[in-house]
């Protein structure tokens, strides 16, 4: 049996679950921050495929959020049970079983016969959390995962580092306004044209929180975006239509602007 990575405070976990079921994105993010890597390892041991593993972990959390609150079952065991059900479905749909995937039946505690598990890096962890909260219809977390991890360590260990952690939390409280700041953007058409004669747009972004992503879409199709400098981007649409450019900061606040892209445009609409 897999040894739990974290010994959690049951009362605190129950409070987080209550807040999560009330739609609190930060409460879910706190649970996610201390379970996602272990759950990822568990699912990879069953599926032996990084993309199917990411899908399985995402579906596991969605089922957890939309399901019933666990009663008398440790958090890790509850999530592993959901994960096993999801992995069984994925393997059945793909016509495989645990033996096909390289791991003996009932042993999903690690990479097993799958070889070395790919690194579950911070960017992937953040992106998966963003997707899960979006699918679940919950507000995005306003406290970064790395800071949630610090807080959970404090609650778990109640160690002698309490003073330093409380100080870090105090800094977070004073820095709370940063989580409300939206990025600012200015977009305009340049004199340049791409190979097809379509216009090129420059985008200048001003954001105190670091920029997380810049995306441009026409009819839900992604358009190429190039970063030219610390705050300068170019957008080169490959088709005509109404283009929406969205800037997302690390605090999940967004700014967007919409323009009509025409092959023969001479002025910004």
């Amino acid at each position: 049996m897999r040894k739990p990575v974290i010994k959690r405070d049951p009362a605190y976990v129950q409070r987080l679950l209550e807040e999560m079921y009330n739609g609190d994105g930060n409460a879910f993010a706190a649970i996610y921050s201390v379970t996602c890597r272990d759950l990822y390892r568990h699912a990879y041991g069953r599926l032996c495929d990084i993309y199917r593993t990411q899908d399985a972990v995402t579906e596991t959390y969605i089922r957890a959020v939309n399901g019933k609150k666990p009663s008398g079952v440790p958090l890790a065991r509850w999530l592993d049970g959901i994960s096993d059900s999801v992995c069984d479905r994925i393997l059945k749909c793909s016509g495989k079983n645990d033996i096909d995937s390289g791991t003996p039946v009932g042993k999903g505690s690690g990479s097993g016969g799958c070889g070395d598990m790919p690194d579950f890096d911070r960017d992937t962890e953040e992106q998966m959390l963003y997707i899960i909260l979006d699918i679940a219809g919950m507000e995005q977390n306003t406290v970064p995962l790395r800071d949630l991890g610090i807080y959970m360590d404090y609650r778990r260990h109640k160690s002698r580092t309490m003073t330093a952690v409380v100080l870090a939390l105090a800094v977070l409280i004073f820095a709370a306004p940063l989580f409300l700041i939206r990025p600012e953007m200015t977009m305009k058409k340049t004199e340049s044209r791409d190979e097809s004669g379509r216009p090129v747009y420059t985008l200048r972004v001003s954001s105190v929180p670091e920029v997380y992503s810049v995306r441009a879409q026409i009819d839900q199709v992604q358009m190429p975006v190039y970063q030219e400098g610390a705050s300068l981007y170019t957008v080169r649409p490959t088709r005509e239509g109404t283009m929406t450019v969205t800037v997302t900061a690390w605090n999940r606040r967004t700014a967007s602007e919409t323009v009509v892209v025409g092959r023969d445009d001479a002025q910004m609409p």
Side-chain angles (χ1 to χ4, degrees):
M1 179 179 294
R2 178 165 57 89
K3 182 179 180 180
V5 174
I6 297 176
K7 295 181 180 179
R8 301 173 180 83
D9 179 347
Y12 181 56
V13 170
Q14 286 302 311
R15 195 176 82 196
L16 284 177
L17 288 170
E18 291 284 355
E19 294 171 353
M20 179 188 79
Y21 284 117
N22 287 327
D24 189 326
N26 282 326
F28 174 81
I31 292 173
Y32 175 90
S33 69
V34 295
T35 57
C36 62
R37 291 179 178 271
D38 210 29
L39 192 61
Y40 189 92
R41 184 181 302 108
H42 181 80
Y44 187 80
R46 296 286 309 279
L47 302 173
C48 298
D49 179 89
I50 184 172
Y51 300 109
R52 290 194 298 171
T53 295
Q54 291 177 6
D55 289 343
V57 172
T58 299
E59 184 177 341
T60 295
Y61 282 115
I62 295 299
R63 287 194 184 188
V65 170
N66 293 329
K68 294 182 179 179
K69 186 175 65 173
S71 177
V73 180
L75 181 63
R77 188 182 303 169
W78 175 58
L79 289 172
D80 283 353
I82 299 174
S83 175
D84 284 336
S85 176
V86 171
C87 290
D88 287 343
R89 181 191 63 76
I90 292 175
L91 290 169
K92 182 178 180 180
C93 289
S94 63
K96 294 184 178 182
N97 53 39
D98 285 309
I99 297 177
D100 294 331
S101 66
T103 305
V105 174
K107 295 184 179 180
S109 60
S111 58
C114 303
D116 294 334
M117 185 181 73
D119 183 40
F120 186 43
D121 57 72
R122 175 67 71 180
D123 285 344
T124 302
E125 184 181 359
E126 289 268 6
Q127 291 169 6
M128 288 180 63
L129 174 61
Y130 183 85
I131 291 170
I132 292 166
L133 288 172
D134 186 56
I135 294 174
M138 303 173 70
E139 288 288 334
Q140 293 293 327
N141 59 302
T142 56
V143 181
L145 279 179
R146 58 183 178 275
D147 296 320
L148 281 169
I150 292 173
Y151 187 53
M152 291 298 289
D153 284 344
Y154 159 64
R155 293 303 300 257
R156 182 177 78 244
H157 295 301
K158 297 181 180 178
S159 66
R160 295 179 181 178
T161 60
M162 180 180 67
T163 301
V165 174
V166 170
L167 179 60
L169 291 174
V171 171
L172 281 177
I173 291 173
F174 284 110
L178 289 176
F179 299 123
L180 303 177
I181 297 177
R182 294 182 180 276
E184 296 181 358
M185 58 183 288
T186 303
M187 184 168 62
K188 69 177 184 178
K189 186 186 300 181
T190 69
E191 297 298 326
S192 302
R193 298 275 174 161
D194 66 11
E195 309 80 45
S196 301
R198 295 187 178 90
V200 175
Y201 296 85
T202 60
L203 176 67
R204 291 192 177 274
V205 179
S206 175
S207 179
V208 176
E210 185 178 353
V211 174
Y212 178 75
S213 67
V214 178
R215 296 182 179 180
Q217 288 185 326
I218 295 179
D219 299 329
Q220 298 184 336
V221 177
Q222 296 288 338
M223 297 294 106
V225 178
Y226 303 92
Q227 185 168 6
E228 309 293 348
S231 59
L232 180 64
Y233 300 81
T234 58
V235 183
R236 300 170 181 264
T238 59
R239 61 195 299 173
E240 299 176 30
T242 300
M243 179 171 70
T244 300
V245 180
T246 302
V247 176
T248 303
W250 273 103
N251 62 358
R252 307 306 187 192
R253 298 295 175 175
T254 62
S256 63
E257 191 168 330
T258 300
V259 296
V260 176
V261 178
R263 183 180 295 274
D264 299 320
D265 288 342
Q267 303 292 330
M268 274 287 291

